[in-house]
Amino acid sequence: LVATAATAASAASAVATAPAVRVRVVRESGAPDRAVLVMHVEGRAVALGSYQGTMTFDPAVLRVDSAIAGRDGFRFVNANQAGKGSIRFAGFTATGFKGTDAVRIVARLSGALEQSRIVATLEVAGDIDGRRIPDAALQGTTGVESAVRPSASTPAGKRP
């Protein structure tokens, strides 16, 4: 049993430190009919050197006014299909990204942001030595996290 417990602890440690790359979308600000979203691409236990992904959404609810790539490393955004509900993003660097901001999106809403059905996925990612991160370690997201904090005048449990 001692060997089994040690093996299980070792396996759990390996999973916790296995390289992974995650994309997430955070609402930073906005009124009920506007939103500023930031797409973050984050490496865990890896010096992230490259990534490529797609964010899809319902264009009847989320109408993109602008999509701007982050300034860290070489980051790119292709919003040519935003009117059809798709934004492509990518980035690369030889020395590792210093931050996680991949894309900043300013949009108009014609419904609740939750109704926009945002899904962000990564198709490929690699470390700074050019090694591919396994597909199983690429973590996408559905929905949007909120970085908007209630003000002192906002009733508890309510978001502005």
Side-chain angles (χ1 to χ4, degrees):
L1 281 176
V2 173
T4 303
T7 303
S10 177
S13 175
V15 168
T17 59
V21 181
R22 174 177 112 155
V23 60
R24 62 192 182 95
V25 181
V26 177
R27 182 177 191 171
E28 289 207 336
S29 63
D33 64 340
R34 306 238 352 126
V36 176
L37 307 174
V38 177
M39 196 173 335
H40 295 275
V41 177
E42 306 162 332
R44 182 188 73 210
V46 64
L48 184 61
S50 62
Y51 62 86
Q52 177 180 311
T54 303
M55 184 181 95
T56 59
F57 52 92
D58 182 345
V61 178
L62 184 79
R63 290 175 296 191
V64 174
D65 289 333
S66 66
I68 301 168
R71 297 181 180 188
D72 180 16
F74 295 95
R75 298 192 193 240
F76 306 92
V77 62
N78 180 343
N80 289 342
Q81 298 296 313
K84 295 181 179 179
S86 180
I87 295 175
R88 309 249 324 130
F89 56 95
F92 71 91
T93 177
T95 58
F97 294 103
K98 292 177 180 42
T100 64
D101 293 8
V103 179
R104 177 175 298 273
I105 299 165
V106 176
R108 289 172 282 141
L109 299 169
S110 60
L113 182 59
E114 296 77 23
Q115 295 173 330
S116 64
R117 299 190 314 262
I118 290 175
V119 176
T121 58
L122 291 167
E123 286 106 34
V124 66
D127 69 13
I128 60 173
D129 295 320
R131 289 184 297 261
R132 183 180 173 121
I133 305 299
D135 289 349
L138 303 179
Q139 303 167 354
T141 189
T142 57
V144 176
E145 298 175 25
S146 181
V148 179
R149 302 288 178 238
S151 67
S153 62
T154 303
K158 302 282 186 185
R159 290 278 182 209

